[in-house]
Amino acid sequence: EFGRRLGKLEEEAFINGTGSNQPTGVFGGSTLGTTATATNAITADELTDLYHSLGRAYRSRATWVMKDSTVKMIRKLKTGVSSDNTYLWQAGLKDGEPDMLFGRPVVVSEFAPAATTGLKAVVFGDLSYYYIGDRNAMSMQRLVELYAANGQIGFRQFRRTDGKLALATAVNHLLMAEGED
């Protein structure tokens, strides 16, 4: 249970962290690749623009990262040719194989921003340039006295970690359009 909770906390920080008393998230550290024309929709052309906004040197190892609701939106996109109903999304063919978009794997995170007004909805890039540093081992403290009156025992866990995108040009994002004033 501790590991699962710690993993969720770290994922949230590595995705959205502000860099102030927490890691700098990959969404915050990324470079603008393209801006969507709508506040709540993404087109196939915008995904193509994001793909090609990333330098060729980074595309061969690039990964898409987005929220599940964004995946749902993108899975419905077709090639756009009226006689062809082929979807852009390519489901993994084997168990454990990732879904693909433009031949690159897709990672889904519940902590990625939604595809809505003014948010960075999708990142695409070489995530090997996101560096994570763990300092010291994880430690746990047993808290007997604090919960003794209720016949309980508490536990507290400590871990120091940090993360930052070392090369911002290796990861680009799609920014949703701003709403009208």
Side-chain angles (χ1 to χ4, degrees):
E1 184 62 24
F2 284 115
R4 189 178 62 76
R5 287 185 183 191
L6 182 63
K8 288 188 112 176
L9 288 171
E10 286 184 350
E11 179 185 352
E12 183 175 17
F14 296 150
I15 293 287
N16 290 317
T18 63
S20 177
N21 293 321
Q22 57 184 255
T24 301
V26 70
F27 275 78
S30 62
T31 301
L32 176 64
T34 192
T35 302
T37 56
T39 59
N40 60 355
I42 298 172
T43 67
D45 288 345
E46 291 162 351
L47 291 173
T48 301
D49 290 343
L50 179 59
Y51 180 90
H52 288 282
S53 72
L54 188 67
R56 282 186 36 206
Y58 308 115
R59 280 188 230 148
S60 65
R61 293 180 45 163
T63 301
W64 301 89
V65 181
M66 61 190 82
K67 191 173 199 68
D68 192 52
S69 58
T70 305
V71 168
K72 179 181 174 185
M73 181 186 308
I74 292 172
R75 285 184 74 129
K76 296 177 182 179
L77 295 176
K78 298 180 183 173
T79 59
V81 180
S82 60
S83 61
D84 182 9
N85 284 326
T86 304
Y87 289 94
L88 294 176
W89 191 270
Q90 302 160 3
L93 299 177
K94 298 178 191 170
D95 190 30
E97 188 177 273
D99 291 337
M100 307 288 264
L101 184 60
F102 297 122
R104 300 306 312 148
V106 178
V107 172
V108 179
S109 173
E110 66 182 285
F111 302 109
T116 189
T117 308
L119 298 180
K120 299 173 183 177
V122 178
V123 295
F124 177 66
D126 185 347
L127 299 179
S128 70
Y129 287 97
Y130 188 83
Y131 293 171
I132 296 173
D134 292 324
R135 183 167 177 120
N136 300 329
M138 180 178 15
S139 62
M140 187 177 294
Q141 182 181 19
R142 183 176 173 180
L143 305 171
V144 179
E145 296 82 10
L146 184 61
Y147 300 99
N150 295 326
Q152 298 174 331
I153 298 173
F155 293 94
R156 196 163 86 167
Q157 188 176 26
F158 298 94
R159 180 167 179 181
R160 289 186 62 193
T161 189
D162 200 2
K164 186 171 183 166
L165 190 56
L167 185 62
T169 56
V171 179
N172 288 354
H173 64 261
L174 180 139
L175 181 67
M176 300 306 292
E178 293 287 335
E180 294 190 25
D181 295 328

